[in-house]
Amino acid sequence: MTAFIGLRVCTDDLAQIDALAAKHGCSRAEAARNVLRLGLPLAQKGHSIDLQRMILLIEHMQASIDVIIHREHADAAEQLVTIAQERMAQFHA
């Protein structure tokens, strides 16, 4: 079952929704629904996302893992990059 909801958004938000729709080849409405599906569970739990902090943490973790791998398992380093790229294509394309 679906229901209609109408809402107003600022021009900057609308431009971002339109850019997302164009990037994914979907309608403006589908892009907005996807944003809502992703954001609503976080909002319900009282969470927000600090993208800059998340990126910093991911980069810190990656740098730490890189140091460990190159120090302890240098022979496997290139194989791990290949596996990571394959997983990106499989799960995040």
Side-chain angles (χ1 to χ4, degrees):
M1 181 176 163
T2 62
F4 177 80
I5 178 174
L7 56 107
R8 294 185 188 279
V9 296
C10 70
T11 55
D12 289 342
D13 289 343
L14 183 59
Q16 289 183 37
I17 290 170
D18 286 341
L20 184 65
K23 180 179 180 180
H24 292 284
C26 64
S27 68
R28 175 188 282 173
E30 184 61 26
R33 283 190 291 272
N34 287 337
V35 170
L36 188 62
R37 279 187 209 109
L38 290 170
L40 190 56
L42 291 171
Q44 287 174 327
K45 293 182 179 184
H47 297 293
S48 63
I49 296 176
D50 181 339
L51 288 177
Q52 198 166 13
R53 185 178 187 320
M54 186 186 311
I55 291 167
L56 176 63
L57 290 171
I58 290 169
E59 290 299 337
H60 182 273
M61 183 173 51
Q62 181 60 41
S64 299
I65 291 169
D66 239 17
V67 167
I68 293 167
I69 294 298
H70 282 87
R71 183 185 309 145
E72 304 294 328
H73 305 284
D75 56 318
E78 284 304 313
Q79 183 181 5
L80 292 172
V81 170
T82 302
I83 291 169
Q85 289 170 337
E86 289 170 357
R87 290 181 178 182
M88 280 296 295
Q90 181 179 359
F91 299 111
H92 306 285

